[in-house]
Amino acid sequence: MRFIHLADLHIGKRVNEFSMMEDQRYILGRVLELVDEQKENGKAVDGVLIAGDVYDKAVPAAEAVQLLDCFLTELVTRNLPVYMVSGNHDSGERLSFGAHLLEKRGVFLRSVYDGCLEPIELEDSYGKFNLYMLPFVKPAHVRKALDDDTIITYQDAVCAVLEHVSIKQEERNLLIAHQMVTGAQRCDSEEISIGGLDNIDADVFDCFDYVALGHLHGPQKVGRDEVRYAGTLLKYSFSECSHKKSVTIVEFCEKGNVTIETIPLVPLRDMRQIEGRYEEVMSKEFYKDSNKEDYLKVVLTDEEEIPDVLGRLRTVYPNIMKLEYNNTRTRSSKSIEQAEITENKQPVDYLEEFYEVQNNQKMSADQQMIVSDLIEKIWG
């Protein structure tokens, strides 16, 4: 049994005010071509797993909804089942519209956890196969669904969900989930939870033969190979420039025999950074072997600012998203700014800021006094 593992489509996303719709339409088309190529090569896939963040916003634009509709329709016309869960960017209720009708056509949606995690039971020549689908959950969701006030953390929440499932260890079991697993590498385009409060230990998933994860944009394993983030199909921030975007294909044979393959994706436009003097980056020799249509962060090293530099650069590179200078003045400004931050703030100031971010309120006078006393005792 072979599945394509996708995640974090973020359909409708804008990056630095640039719409990514054309790029998303292109890359989803490439996924469909890959499905066809696999079949032609005698390695047909048996389903597509989509691990959350289908849309970029809870209320997606009409063209985003239309693109997802077209993508799912193309998969269904290929008689390919789709197994999709909601992510933290999705509105579970909106995503699940028409879920019962879609299920009759082979599109299985799980968008709101209701206290029940029953598998979809499949079978192949190796025997029974159980596919579990867990939408993104917060502690409050699970606490309400299970009527359990002891659920406080994300770890508590996922553990409680799985404790209410009878998993047959002698059979093959796959889980689709959209959560943050401890030890995975984040990037700038992802939502960050202060202090890692959303972290879940990878060993929570030990009972599954494969865990198809969504949430993080970089394709990666966490702990063992079979706990895997597929990553986004496209780059959505300059912190992702080094990412090698791909499609993950996971194949199950007999129990304990799982093979994972990644197939690279080439986007319509890449996202990358170029750096140099203005005259250098504008020379044909500099850009002749690259795609000038790529999304760019341009870092100029000229000591003097160039008049109307962005307009002039865009005559060659139309899709510049960011422009920065890296010269003596900017490096000096950054050093002074960092020095001022370091010199003007005391340890108690950092603790007060952290407390306010975590609790949405300032420390009381008594709390400030306790913290100050502790710092004084520790550092003397």
Side-chain angles (χ1 to χ4, degrees):
M1 193 165 292
R2 305 180 80 237
F3 296 96
I4 284 183
H5 172 194
L6 306 177
D8 300 278
L9 304 182
H10 286 284
I11 299 175
K13 190 172 184 65
R14 299 182 69 86
V15 180
N16 294 303
E17 301 310 314
F18 281 71
S19 170
M20 304 299 289
M21 286 297 300
E22 184 182 5
D23 304 82
Q24 292 174 333
R25 188 174 291 106
Y26 174 86
I27 209 69
L28 289 175
R30 183 67 192 95
V31 172
L32 294 171
E33 290 173 6
L34 179 60
V35 168
D36 296 337
E37 289 167 7
Q38 291 287 305
K39 186 174 182 179
E40 290 169 5
N41 295 331
K43 301 169 70 176
V45 295
D46 300 294
V48 175
L49 318 174
I50 304 179
D53 280 357
V54 180
Y55 294 119
D56 190 58
K57 296 183 181 300
V59 184
E63 60 178 347
V65 176
Q66 291 165 0
L67 179 54
L68 177 64
D69 178 49
C70 289
F71 181 56
L72 294 179
T73 300
E74 289 293 332
L75 291 173
V76 168
T77 58
R78 290 165 169 78
N79 295 316
L80 203 57
V82 180
Y83 307 94
M84 182 164 65
V85 303
S86 63
N88 56 299
H89 279 251
D90 299 310
S91 163
E93 292 77 11
R94 288 186 173 86
L95 189 63
S96 63
F97 174 78
H100 295 298
L101 288 173
L102 287 170
E103 193 159 314
K104 292 178 180 179
R105 295 299 306 274
V107 178
F108 300 85
L109 294 172
R110 299 290 184 271
S111 55
V112 180
Y113 177 68
D114 59 3
C116 182
L117 185 63
E118 291 295 327
I120 296 171
E121 297 180 349
L122 307 173
E123 193 165 357
D124 62 9
S125 59
Y126 293 98
K128 293 183 179 179
F129 187 97
N130 304 305
L131 196 157
Y132 293 85
M133 302 171 63
L134 178 64
F136 176 70
V137 292
K138 293 182 178 181
H141 296 160
V142 183
R143 192 160 56 240
K144 180 179 179 181
L146 299 180
D147 192 22
D148 185 349
D149 291 336
T150 66
I151 296 169
I152 305 300
T153 67
Y154 281 78
Q155 174 89 3
D156 295 340
V158 175
C159 284
V161 168
L162 297 181
E163 284 169 3
H164 284 73
V165 180
S166 297
I167 298 174
K168 298 176 181 177
Q169 291 297 316
E170 70 278 8
E171 297 176 0
R172 294 163 299 163
N173 300 288
L174 180 153
L175 174 70
I176 309 174
H178 189 93
Q179 302 289 160
M180 173 62 201
V181 179
T182 305
Q185 297 181 346
R186 297 181 185 258
C187 60
D188 292 346
S189 52
E190 299 152 1
E191 290 187 0
I192 303 297
S193 176
I194 298 298
L197 298 177
D198 54 351
N199 281 5
I200 297 163
D201 293 336
D203 57 14
V204 168
F205 303 119
D206 283 351
C207 51
F208 294 98
D209 297 274
Y210 184 81
V211 184
L213 289 169
H215 194 35
L216 299 187
H217 291 189
Q220 58 190 291
K221 66 176 183 179
V222 189
R224 58 189 173 102
D225 290 342
E226 295 80 16
V227 179
R228 181 173 179 80
Y229 286 100
T232 53
L233 298 175
L234 296 169
K235 299 174 184 179
Y236 290 132
S237 78
F238 289 102
S239 65
E240 299 178 45
C241 282
S242 62
H243 288 186
K244 304 299 182 185
K245 301 301 185 181
S246 60
V247 167
T248 300
I249 298 180
V250 55
E251 182 171 3
F252 298 84
C253 294
E254 69 277 8
K255 176 75 175 181
N257 186 354
V258 180
T259 304
I260 300 166
E261 178 186 5
T262 57
I263 299 177
L265 287 172
V266 178
L268 182 63
R269 305 175 185 88
D270 197 4
M271 186 176 289
R272 56 191 177 88
Q273 175 177 318
I274 61 174
E275 183 170 352
R277 293 177 294 102
Y278 171 77
E279 294 295 339
E280 181 184 0
V281 301
M282 290 292 280
S283 68
K284 288 185 178 179
E285 190 66 27
F286 186 90
Y287 59 73
K288 68 177 183 179
D289 295 324
S290 62
N291 183 2
K292 295 183 292 181
E293 300 290 324
D294 285 345
Y295 297 115
L296 297 179
K297 176 181 178 181
V298 179
V299 180
L300 294 179
T301 57
D302 301 80
E303 290 297 330
E304 299 295 328
E305 292 196 11
I306 313 294
D308 189 29
V309 65
L310 189 56
R312 294 162 71 177
L313 285 166
R314 280 183 170 157
T315 61
V316 174
Y317 309 105
N319 295 315
I320 296 174
M321 287 184 166
K322 283 188 176 182
L323 172 65
E324 294 179 1
Y325 278 90
N326 180 19
N327 54 30
T328 305
R329 176 182 56 80
T330 58
R331 288 192 294 271
S332 175
S333 298
K334 289 176 183 176
S335 298
I336 292 170
E337 184 179 310
Q338 188 60 45
E340 287 176 348
I341 291 172
T342 304
E343 288 175 6
N344 295 337
K345 287 190 177 181
Q346 300 300 316
V348 68
D349 298 322
Y350 291 109
L351 281 169
E352 287 175 359
E353 290 176 358
F354 180 70
Y355 181 91
E356 186 172 349
V357 169
Q358 271 202 316
N359 299 281
N360 201 29
Q361 61 181 357
K362 294 182 180 297
M363 280 186 182
S364 67
D366 288 342
Q367 288 171 323
Q368 289 174 338
M369 187 177 298
I370 292 169
V371 168
S372 296
D373 288 343
L374 282 172
I375 289 173
E376 188 174 347
K377 287 178 183 177
I378 293 168
W379 282 304

